[in-house]
Amino acid sequence: MRKACLALLLAASVTPAFAQDKTFDLKVSHWVPASHPLQKSLEDWVAAVNKDSGGTITGKVFPAQQLGKAFDHYDMARDGIADVTYVNPGYQPGRFPIIGAGELPFLISDAKGGSMGLDAWYRKYAEKEMKDVKYCLAFVHSPSSFHSKTKKIVMPEDVKGLKIRPAHATMANFVTSLGGTNVQSSAPEVRDIIERGVADGVTFPWGSLVLFGIDKVTKYDMEAPLYTTTFVFVINKDKYNAMSDKQKAAIDKNCTVEMAGAVGEHWGKFEDAGIDKVKAESGHEVYKLTPEQTAAWKKAAEPLVKTWGDGAKKAGADPDAALSELKASLKKYNALAE
């Protein structure tokens, strides 16, 4: 009898160590088409988390705004409408000012290294700026520029009088400073607003220009590394906190600088391939800037640094130190534009 009791006590003491973790099925949401490279990146992310969690974390990717509008994706993760979301912080001007440094013109030269440099730099700031969610990683697409329907944009003054759909808050400020008017819309709506004449042009990456059909309604394409757009993957805090330590480790293992680089590289190759596609289309004029023209754009963009700095300071960051840190991080990953 005594031996039986001891055996039961021993079994009771070890059972929790072998208990199966609770399973989680994550809703992963984004707002671009399923044919976009981001779909596979998120599917790969879910597969990696599933493997590292011993199969206890599964997930389904919902593309094309199925769970909510593009502008709402940060709040969707915060509120649990989705568990993991893809966010463009620049879609909400003034809300995430610090990460906006990654949007500054002529700063980032490469999608993979730029993503790694941005993510490594932003982690400490994300704890405050995105405190409503569990921050996973940040990344950028390849450097991009203007595409217009009605007028060839060569010099900064050519933007005056045009209606432009900007990629994010920084480009919106740039357009305004140059005498243009901003037209706000999410990426899936861009073709329609240009086709209807609501906008004359857009700042957009090359591969996505073709994917969204915007190349069918634009004519002039500036081939210059004018800007990049910052993005983040964020996770619902309650869902993450409900996981076991092993499951949290599986998530954390896939929310790294290296994973940011992998996402950025995959998307970057897709965007870069779009340049030749647009060049091969009839009715398009793809043009590069001369050194003098590039210098004029850089000079016109200088006030954006101060505008960004003012916003970052209000958010509690030291803008000079933060920008220096970002440039050092980008240089480390060979992605600081010359």
Side-chain angles (χ1 to χ4, degrees), residues 163-187:
K163 299 175 299 232
I164 302 292
R165 182 273 184 184
H168 43 60
T170 301
M171 288 309 295
N173 289 336
F174 202 17
V175 167
T176 302
S177 72
L178 297 175
T181 302
N182 290 298
V183 179
Q184 190 180 51
S185 83
S186 64

Side-chain angles (χ1 to χ4, degrees), residues 128-189:
K128 181 178 180 183
E129 187 160 80
M130 298 189 178
K131 61 181 182 295
D132 307 308
V133 295
K134 157 73 176 172
Y135 170 81
C136 180
L137 54 83
F139 57 101
V140 294
H141 60 50
S142 295
S144 307
S145 193
F146 284 99
H147 308 273
S148 58
K149 178 182 180 180
T150 56
K151 180 181 178 183
K152 185 176 178 180
I153 301 171
V154 180
M155 294 291 284
E157 51 265 34
D158 294 332
V159 175
K160 187 174 183 179
L162 294 182
K163 299 175 299 232
I164 302 292
R165 182 273 184 184
H168 43 60
T170 301
M171 288 309 295
N173 289 336
F174 202 17
V175 167
T176 302
S177 72
L178 297 175
T181 302
N182 290 298
V183 179
Q184 190 180 51
S185 83
S186 64
E189 300 165 332

Side-chain angles (χ1 to χ4, degrees), residues 93-337:
R95 188 173 183 186
F96 307 105
I98 298 174
I99 197 173
E103 303 168 354
L104 292 170
F106 301 104
L107 179 66
I108 296 176
S109 64
D110 171 76
K112 179 182 179 180
S115 296
M116 296 176 80
L118 177 74
D119 179 70
W121 165 79
Y122 186 60
R123 288 187 171 271
K124 72 174 183 180
Y125 295 108
E127 292 177 10
K128 181 178 180 183
E129 187 160 80
M130 298 189 178
K131 61 181 182 295
D132 307 308
V133 295
K134 157 73 176 172
Y135 170 81
C136 180
L137 54 83
F139 57 101
V140 294
H141 60 50
S142 295
S144 307
S145 193
F146 284 99
H147 308 273
S148 58
K149 178 182 180 180
T150 56
K151 180 181 178 183
K152 185 176 178 180
I153 301 171
V154 180
M155 294 291 284
E157 51 265 34
D158 294 332
V159 175
K160 187 174 183 179
L162 294 182
K163 299 175 299 232
I164 302 292
R165 182 273 184 184
H168 43 60
T170 301
M171 288 309 295
N173 289 336
F174 202 17
V175 167
T176 302
S177 72
L178 297 175
T181 302
N182 290 298
V183 179
Q184 190 180 51
S185 83
S186 64
E189 300 165 332
V190 171
R191 175 176 177 169
D192 179 58
I193 63 170
I194 293 178
E195 199 164 27
R196 291 189 291 113
V198 176
D200 301 307
V202 63
T203 56
F204 220 72
W206 293 86
S208 293
L209 192 82
V210 177
L211 179 64
F212 285 95
I214 302 166
D215 58 318
K216 301 295 188 287
V217 295
T218 51
K219 179 179 179 180
Y220 305 104
D221 307 277
M222 181 194 291
E223 188 181 354
L226 186 63
Y227 78 96
T228 56
T229 300
T230 62
F231 303 102
V232 293
F233 289 166
V234 295
I235 302 169
N236 175 261
K237 263 190 172 180
D238 290 341
K239 187 60 64 79
Y240 177 79
N241 289 335
M243 293 178 179
S244 70
D245 289 345
K246 179 183 175 183
Q247 290 172 320
K248 288 177 181 176
I251 296 285
D252 295 346
K253 184 178 177 182
N254 292 284
C255 291
T256 61
V257 172
E258 290 71 29
M259 183 61 80
V263 174
E265 180 179 30
H266 184 56
W267 188 343
K269 287 179 177 178
F270 164 78
E271 299 295 5
D272 292 341
I275 299 175
D276 288 337
K277 290 179 182 177
V278 175
K279 284 180 177 178
E281 293 179 8
S282 61
H284 272 267
E285 183 180 346
V286 178
Y287 56 97
K288 292 188 177 183
L289 300 178
T290 66
E292 291 77 20
Q293 290 164 347
T294 299
W297 282 100
K298 287 183 176 180
K299 185 170 182 56
E302 285 175 0
L304 295 176
V305 177
K306 183 183 184 305
T307 301
W308 166 80
D310 291 342
K313 186 177 269 187
K314 286 179 184 176
D318 178 337
D320 293 335
L323 190 56
S324 294
E325 290 166 2
L326 175 56
K327 288 180 177 179
S329 188
L330 291 169
K331 188 173 183 179
K332 176 182 176 181
Y333 293 101
N334 300 310
L336 181 63

